[in-house]
Amino acid sequence: MVRVPGGSFAMGSEDFFPEERPVHTVTVEPFWIDEHPVTNAEFRRFVKATGYVTVAERPLDPDDFPGADPADLVPGGLVFQRTTGPVRLDDYRRWWAYVPGASWRHPRGPAGSLDGLDRHPVTQIAHEDATAYAAWAGRSLPTEAEWEFAARGGLDAATYAWGDEFEPRGRRMANTWTGRFPWEFLPARGQSEQPGTTAVGTYPPNGYGLSDMTGNVWEWTSDLFTADHRRPAPASCCAPANPIATESDTAERFPRRVTKGGSFLCAPNYCLRYRPAARQGQTEDTSTCHLGFRTVMRDGANDGRSR
């Protein structure tokens, strides 16, 4: 783990998507965070030690899917399906499919394996799975503010985790989509012929020495998702502390949590969320081939909130 000093920073961005606005000052206390996303090898040790079964591997509860054909309620996860040519980008179902048997052991479906992928981020992880691993390790999931502060690496208000230029001096800095999403893929450094995860640390770390804070896989945080990321509501005299959403922030059947960082599927023509300020909400039971996590450890009475 790497120690992050804590401090105040400008959270959010005014330049991209509405859910990243407004920019506002937030303060976080010092904390420790994993140098890279939790890997397949690390998650395997957790499962071996505890016998844990992930959400994607469990039978589905018919009560959670009213009206569904019971024959369709088979454990699995969402897997990216590269299209054969250009498609409209207004419907994710053109490139995502629910694949029975997909899980952290088989992130792209039952025919796949983890051979050679020990140092790749673990995927097909639901929020409950990430929380269970963190508890086993004596840690927690980061808050949205902690995650964003760490991702910036000391570069307050920079567009990317490494500065304002996407490819400084032509150097690739993260595992993101190259080409026109979701059909044209042009492999860059560290990437295979098909879009997917890369080994952690393939690309340069940020200013705090943290790898893959953007690109590679989206990462779960502990915060519930709201369209306005100022929590609690901003006061007129002072900046909010490190915000943690409460259950009252959402009335959804499946609450959504904030995920951060973008993934290998983020492209300039679609998503563009391989930035510290970027955020999206995922339902807690979601597991996909591009969603993982990392953990934090806080000092003493620091519970993730700031003064």
Side-chain angles (χ1 to χ4, degrees):
M1 303 187 84
V2 172
R3 184 168 175 78
V4 175
S8 298
F9 74 109
M11 184 174 177
S13 172
E14 300 285 350
D15 301 327
F16 293 91
F17 300 104
E19 68 272 14
E20 300 169 22
R21 305 170 193 156
V23 173
H24 58 292
T25 301
V26 172
T27 300
V28 297
E29 296 288 345
F31 60 97
W32 294 81
I33 188 168
D34 291 335
E35 181 182 349
H36 53 69
V38 172
T39 64
N40 288 311
E42 290 168 331
F43 198 79
R44 185 185 298 114
R45 286 195 289 271
F46 159 63
V47 170
K48 185 176 181 179
T50 63
Y52 184 83
V53 178
T54 62
V55 171
E57 298 171 290
R58 303 174 196 167
L60 278 66
D61 185 348
D63 291 341
D64 290 335
F65 303 93
D69 185 340
D72 293 334
L73 299 181
V74 180
L78 290 169
V79 176
F80 172 74
Q81 310 281 336
R82 185 176 171 186
T83 64
T84 57
V87 296
R88 290 176 56 183
L89 301 178
D90 58 355
D91 187 348
Y92 66 87
R93 289 172 293 186
R94 294 187 174 100
W95 54 86
W96 281 109
Y98 183 80
V99 177
S103 70
W104 76 271
R105 304 173 192 272
H106 309 281
R108 292 187 175 275
S113 76
L114 295 180
D115 290 347
L117 302 181
D118 275 2
R119 285 191 53 77
H120 285 232
V122 66
T123 59
Q124 295 292 357
I125 297 296
H127 190 268
E128 180 181 333
D129 307 327
T131 301
Y133 175 97
W136 171 76
R139 304 171 190 170
S140 307
L141 295 184
T143 66
E144 179 179 4
E146 285 172 335
W147 193 100
E148 185 169 331
F149 184 83
R152 292 185 176 279
L155 299 178
D156 197 17
T159 301
Y160 304 106
W162 52 86
D164 289 319
E165 187 179 351
F166 179 57
E167 292 186 344
R169 299 181 180 179
R171 188 181 189 188
R172 195 60 182 265
M173 302 297 287
N175 179 17
T176 59
W177 185 282
T178 49
R180 288 167 287 183
F181 182 87
W183 62 281
E184 180 189 48
F185 184 69
L186 308 172
R189 173 190 167 200
Q191 296 175 322
S192 63
E193 291 300 311
Q194 294 296 325
T197 58
T198 50
V200 296
T202 296
Y203 295 89
N206 72 1
Y208 289 148
L210 302 172
S211 297
D212 299 303
M213 288 302 294
T214 54
N216 218 0
V217 293
W218 283 96
E219 298 182 18
W220 288 108
T221 73
S222 62
D223 280 3
L224 286 156
F225 181 83
T226 59
D228 188 333
H229 59 172
R230 295 172 296 175
R231 295 186 298 265
S236 60
C237 63
C238 52
N242 181 3
I244 299 178
T246 64
E247 295 296 336
S248 62
D249 288 328
T250 178
E252 298 176 352
R253 181 175 180 83
F254 295 105
R256 290 191 295 165
R257 299 279 175 172
V258 176
T259 58
K260 299 282 283 183
S263 77
F264 63 84
L265 295 179
C266 283
N269 73 313
Y270 179 77
C271 181
L272 197 62
R273 286 182 167 88
Y274 35 79
R275 299 172 289 102
R279 60 197 299 267
Q280 69 172 11
Q282 284 284 8
T283 54
E284 291 180 343
D285 64 333
T286 295
S287 58
T288 75
C289 65
H290 75 332
L291 177 55
F293 70 104
R294 74 180 76 204
T295 67
V296 299
M297 189 164 56
R298 304 185 181 100
D299 295 338
N302 176 16
D303 63 356
R305 300 177 187 269
S306 293
R307 295 186 299 276

